[in-house]
Amino acid sequence: SSTEAPTIPIARPPAFRFQINFDMNLSAEETSLLRLQPQDLQNLPGFFQARLDPLRYRYAVIGSRDDGMADLLPPRSLVEIDTAQRTVQTFPWQTIRDRPIYLIWHGGGHTCRWCQVEGRELILIPHPVSRYQIRRFRTPSEATIVGRVTNAWLPFESLQLQRENAS
């Protein structure tokens, strides 16, 4: 007769389903600020809900045609914006990943870029390998900093594959 070790059930956290109801007026091609409602977040696990602060943090989706931050924030990335950080920070960053990225609102919509301030001008700086030019806006009449990107969830597809699928 063989003796089997008793099996001990493993406690697993309950499964959850995460679904965001997107505004129907959003264009997938353009970078857009999401308008999340409390009911959109109630299916998240408790540990994640405890971290969310809808008064401070907002979320945006990088448009499918917006490769302005190249592989740092490729098209279709989901970004978390800290609205308490609305002043451009300048410090001696060591790498391009250290430099703060901001979500900017302007007459043409929303844009995530590195920023620089010169007088009353806000300068939006794209990634060097992107096809975008540096843009300048007068503040606060032409552009406003929504906040600093603090987290990002990136798609696994390569930028090249995304470009091929978009054409």
Side-chain angles (χ1 to χ4, degrees), residues 51-59 80-86 89 146-148 150:
R51 185 189 174 286
L52 295 177
D53 180 354
L55 297 176
R56 180 171 178 174
Y57 296 98
R58 302 288 305 271
Y59 296 86
E80 179 181 67
I81 311 299
D82 183 348
T83 61
Q85 297 185 49
R86 297 179 56 176
Q89 299 174 355
V146 176
R148 182 174 171 224
T150 53

Side-chain angles (χ1 to χ4, degrees), residues 86 88 102-111 113-117 119-124 135-147:
R86 297 179 56 176
V88 174
Y102 298 89
L103 179 69
I104 311 304
W105 178 86
H106 50 81
H110 289 90
T111 306
R113 298 288 187 270
W114 291 308
C115 292
Q116 185 173 315
V117 175
R120 295 184 56 92
E121 248 184 2
L122 179 64
I123 303 166
L124 278 57
R135 297 176 71 188
R136 295 172 178 267
F137 295 96
R138 305 259 323 138
T139 58
S141 61
E142 296 178 349
T144 308
I145 298 173
V146 176

Side-chain angles (χ1 to χ4, degrees), residues 9 17 32 80 123 132 143 165-166:
R17 181 177 164 199
S32 302
E80 179 181 67
I123 303 166
Y132 288 90
N165 290 340

Side-chain angles (χ1 to χ4, degrees), residues 14-135:
F16 71 95
R17 181 177 164 199
F18 179 63
Q19 178 177 338
I20 297 176
N21 295 321
F22 290 96
D23 238 350
M24 298 315 281
N25 295 330
L26 296 179
S27 166
E29 294 178 356
E30 299 173 12
T31 297
S32 302
L33 191 62
L34 299 178
R35 304 199 187 296
L36 296 178
Q37 302 299 322
Q39 63 269 21
D40 295 330
L41 307 175
Q42 61 189 236
N43 291 331
L44 294 174
F47 68 88
F48 197 73
Q49 284 184 21
R51 185 189 174 286
L52 295 177
D53 180 354
L55 297 176
R56 180 171 178 174
Y57 296 98
R58 302 288 305 271
Y59 296 86
V61 175
I62 306 300
S64 62
R65 294 193 180 270
D66 184 355
D67 68 346
M69 291 308 294
D71 62 336
L72 291 177
L73 291 179
R76 301 180 323 132
S77 296
L78 175 67
V79 293
E80 179 181 67
I81 311 299
D82 183 348
T83 61
Q85 297 185 49
R86 297 179 56 176
T87 303
V88 174
Q89 299 174 355
T90 55
F91 57 89
W93 47 83
Q94 301 297 313
T95 70
I96 60 174
R97 292 192 182 279
D98 294 341
R99 187 172 186 176
I101 299 171
Y102 298 89
L103 179 69
I104 311 304
W105 178 86
H106 50 81
H110 289 90
T111 306
C112 278
R113 298 288 187 270
W114 291 308
C115 292
Q116 185 173 315
V117 175
E118 290 180 5
R120 295 184 56 92
E121 248 184 2
L122 179 64
I123 303 166
L124 278 57
I125 305 167
H127 193 285
V129 301
S130 81
R131 57 186 170 86
Y132 288 90
Q133 300 292 317
I134 290 174
R135 297 176 71 188

